[in-house]
């Protein structure tokens, strides 16, 4: 008899679209009752587990006390860093990882934004298919006959013309990491016909502590240790089931983390008449329109005077940012230097706003914004360190590991070929 901890209500596909969250048969099982399956599990084909540790900056790697993750890296592969897409925020990056598309092509151009075309707002809870362009890897896999299961991922609750992961869990940050891991192990014990071949896991703790206490805080390193315990739980769970050598595991993060500083505030109102602009996002990633159609050239001239800030019209955004080809991108974007924020005297003069804490969203080539990449499994190169990888390359890598044909995307399979055995 198989009894594994779940604690999560998971949905099997296809649920009635209008009742997501209500159709879930809650499968809350006591963790103490965990038993291993009587017969060894034999996987039918390549199986991939994609794990995100939100906000795990590459800069934490050397100091992090993470024996489980570093064990996977030293037996398998890691990259010098995983470079985010612009803006270096959670939703644009997670969705680039699974689609191989830059935000200008997958449509999730920020964590939250107002769509200029429809006037609708996008935010973390938005599951409207209108916003989610491209084809995430779980949809590619499902459409080619593979079952998939998501233990959280941005976009995983969205219907793609009626297609979804066979199993998915509506986002609930209060579900303990341990239960998330146990859910993945439980899915791997399903019968051959039901077992997923692609699975995700997501941990937010490191990002959370980074925002609150800064990138070099003890709280961040404690959170890293705790996440490592979850990775250890997964690794030993796979070992106990004799699956560790049959499953390809990818561990990634979406972006790094950089501290604010009250000394690094660029005051836009010293240079620009705020009545001539409509500003949509502030601080480390600024987007704006001119208040009148003919006003943009004058606004750009004023913006060019702000020290420690680069501003571009949408058409002139440097190619490496891949941030122009979308109707959702505003007329101009401003990138402050590393650690700098754009603000106003009214907002930031109290001396408190940027005196502590940290964030991300800056230019993705900055050292502080780099994330991590670790891979381990039967198809992954052993004891190998790869040069920096871009988020958009992960989709082709996963398609190759799973043996499915990738949808059109912005990556190049050659960029990750060296990671494969
Ligand atoms: P960020 O500050 O951009 O790194 O965003 C991190 C936050 O995104 C997390 O703390 C969660 O609150 C939220 N988040 C992450 N994944 C999801 C998801 N799949 N659905 C809804 N919210 C999410
Ligand atoms: Zn994030
Ligand atoms: Zn964050």
């Amino acid at each position: 008899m198989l009894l594994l901890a779940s604690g999560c209500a998971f949905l099997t596909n296809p649920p009635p679209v209008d009742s997501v969250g209500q159709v879930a048969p809650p499968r809350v099982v006591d963790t103490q009752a965990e038993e291993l399956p009587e017969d060894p599990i034999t996987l039918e084909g390549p199986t991939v587990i994609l794990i995100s540790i939100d906000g795990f900056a590459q800069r934490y790697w050397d100091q992090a006390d993470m024996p489980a993750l570093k064990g996977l890296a030293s037996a398998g592969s890691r990259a010098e860093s995983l470079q985010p897409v612009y803006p270096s925020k959670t939703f644009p990056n997670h969705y680039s990882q699974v689609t191989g598309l830059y935000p200008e092509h997958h449509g999730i151009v920020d964590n939250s934004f107002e769509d200029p075309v429809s006037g609708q707002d996008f935010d973390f809870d938005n599951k409207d298919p209108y916003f989610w362009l491209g084809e995430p890897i779980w949809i590619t896999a499902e459409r080619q006959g593979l079952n998939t299961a998501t233990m959280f991922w941005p976009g995983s609750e969205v219907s793609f013309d009626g297609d979804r992961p066979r199993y998915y869990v509506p986002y609930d940050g209060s579900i303990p990491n341990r239960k998330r891991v146990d859910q993945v192990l439980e899915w791997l014990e399903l019968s051959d016909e039901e077992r997923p071949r692609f699975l995700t896991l997501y941990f937010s703790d490191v990002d959370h502590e980074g925002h609150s206490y800064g990138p070099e805080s003890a709280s961040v390193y404690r959170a890293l240790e705790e996440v490592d315990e979850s990775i250890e739980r997964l690794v030993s769970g796979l070992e106990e089931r004799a699956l560790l050598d049959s499953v390809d595991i990818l561990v990634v993060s979406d972006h790094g983390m950089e501290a604010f500083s009250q000394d690094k505030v660029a005051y836009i109102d010293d240079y620009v008449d705020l009545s001539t602009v409509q500003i949509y996002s502030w601080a480390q990633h600024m987007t704006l329109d001119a208040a009148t159609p003919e006003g943009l050239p004058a606004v750009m001239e004023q913006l060019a005077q702000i020290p420690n800030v680069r501003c571009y019209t949408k058409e002139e955004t440097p190619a490496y940012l891949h941030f122009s080809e979308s109707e959702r991108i505003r007329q101009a974007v401003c990138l402050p230097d590393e650690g700098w924020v754009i603000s106003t005297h009214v907002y930031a003069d109290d001396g408190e706003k940027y005196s502590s804490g940290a964030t991300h969203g800056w230019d993705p080539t900055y050292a502080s914004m780099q994330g991590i990449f670790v891979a381990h499994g039967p198809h992954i190169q052993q004891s190998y360190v790869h040069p920096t990888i871009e988020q958009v390359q992960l989709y082709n890598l996963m398609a190759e590991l799973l043996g499915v044909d990738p949808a059109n995307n912005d990556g190049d399979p050659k960029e990750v070929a060296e990671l494969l055995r």
Side-chain angles (χ1 to χ4, degrees):
M1 169 63 188
L2 161 64
L3 254 192
L4 266 186
S6 157
C8 323
F10 78 80
L11 308 182
T12 52
N13 185 36
V17 173
D18 59 356
S19 61
V20 167
Q22 284 146 39
V23 292
R27 301 188 31 163
V28 184
V29 183
D30 182 4
T31 323
Q32 305 305 319
E34 182 172 333
E35 283 174 20
L36 292 172
E38 279 155 20
D39 300 321
I41 304 168
T42 312
L43 299 181
E44 291 294 294
T47 300
V48 174
I49 305 178
L50 174 66
I51 304 173
S52 165
I53 305 175
D54 199 311
F56 188 158
Q58 176 62 38
R59 66 200 292 182
Y60 305 155
W61 180 262
D62 288 344
Q63 306 295 324
D65 182 11
M66 303 187 80
L69 183 59
K70 289 185 175 180
L72 292 177
S74 58
S77 293
R78 72 181 176 88
E80 283 167 6
S81 76
L82 185 58
Q83 182 171 304
V85 294
Y86 185 75
S88 47
K89 298 196 191 180
T90 297
F91 270 54
N93 275 276
H94 278 90
Y95 202 52
S96 285
Q97 291 167 340
V98 295
T99 58
L101 297 172
Y102 290 105
E104 64 180 354
H105 296 145
H106 69 45
I108 308 301
V109 295
D110 205 340
N111 277 350
S112 61
F113 58 93
E114 184 194 314
D115 173 32
V117 180
S118 65
Q120 292 180 73
D121 289 328
F122 176 86
D123 65 17
F124 283 169
D125 295 326
N126 199 311
K127 290 143 206 156
D128 183 346
Y130 167 82
F131 282 100
W132 303 82
L133 311 179
E135 185 179 281
I137 187 70
W138 53 80
I139 298 298
T140 306
E142 290 280 349
R143 286 179 178 164
Q144 294 179 48
L146 273 54
N147 294 331
T148 66
T150 50
M151 186 63 242
F152 303 157
W153 207 273
S156 61
E157 298 164 55
V158 177
S159 164
F160 289 81
D161 291 328
D163 294 329
R164 295 168 177 276
R166 172 139 180 190
Y167 315 100
Y168 64 98
V169 182
Y171 188 72
D172 175 357
S174 72
I175 295 178
N177 291 348
R178 178 175 48 81
K179 299 227 167 187
R180 303 179 192 188
V181 170
D182 292 346
Q183 177 64 81
V184 162
L185 292 169
E186 186 176 336
W187 277 325
L188 288 171
E189 295 195 343
L190 292 169
S191 69
D192 290 349
E193 297 72 43
E194 295 181 310
R195 181 183 308 119
R197 296 264 302 278
F198 171 82
L199 307 93
T200 70
L201 253 175
Y202 170 81
F203 304 118
S204 66
D205 322 57
V206 176
D207 179 69
H208 188 264
E209 298 307 297
H211 281 293
S212 302
Y213 304 105
E216 298 306 336
S217 63
S219 310
V220 161
Y221 287 94
R222 225 172 7 251
L224 289 164
E225 283 174 39
E226 280 167 21
V227 168
D228 199 59
E229 285 166 21
S230 296
I231 293 174
E232 171 54 31
R233 187 178 182 91
L234 176 70
V235 168
S236 46
L238 292 170
E239 261 172 345
E240 282 164 14
R241 292 158 182 83
L243 288 178
L244 186 60
D245 294 332
S246 317
V247 172
D248 293 304
I249 301 173
L250 307 181
V251 186
V252 300
S253 63
D254 49 351
H255 50 70
M257 190 65 71
E258 173 69 351
F260 293 125
S261 161
Q262 197 62 39
D263 307 331
K264 294 184 179 172
V265 179
Y267 290 98
I268 185 175
D269 45 345
D270 287 346
Y271 300 91
V272 178
D273 173 355
L274 293 183
S275 70
T276 64
V277 287
Q278 170 72 47
I279 299 177
Y280 295 92
S281 75
W282 288 88
Q284 74 283 30
H285 163 64
M286 170 169 274
T287 59
L288 62 123
D289 285 347
T292 60
E294 59 287 353
L296 190 62
V299 167
M300 295 310 295
E301 264 179 44
Q302 293 166 0
L303 289 169
Q305 307 304 313
I306 312 176
N308 302 105
V309 174
R310 288 174 287 151
C311 296
Y312 306 102
T313 62
K314 174 178 174 172
E315 292 74 24
E316 291 169 341
T317 308
Y320 78 93
L321 293 172
H322 299 275
F323 201 70
S324 58
E325 289 180 3
S326 168
E327 291 175 312
R328 298 177 188 174
I329 297 172
R330 294 285 166 179
Q331 289 172 2
V333 58
C334 292
L335 291 87
D337 291 347
E338 196 167 22
W340 283 74
V341 292
I342 306 170
S343 192
T344 60
H345 286 286
V346 168
Y347 187 79
D349 267 353
D350 66 2
E352 291 292 313
K353 290 286 180 319
Y354 295 112
S355 62
S356 66
T359 197
H360 45 83
W362 280 280
D363 185 322
T365 61
Y366 288 160
S368 60
M369 292 300 103
Q370 302 307 299
I372 59 131
F373 173 88
V374 168
H376 177 278
H379 305 102
I380 301 291
Q381 202 61 261
Q382 292 167 289
S383 306
Y384 174 61
V385 180
H386 194 283
T388 293
I389 299 171
E390 279 192 89
Q391 303 282 24
V392 294
Q393 309 299 349
L394 300 179
Y395 174 82
N396 282 327
L397 176 64
M398 294 188 284
E400 179 73 27
L401 290 170
L402 289 167
V404 295
D405 292 330
N408 282 340
N409 69 88
D410 293 326
D412 176 354
K414 288 198 286 294
E415 291 291 319
V416 283
E418 298 290 312
L419 286 165
L420 298 166
R421 263 197 228 180

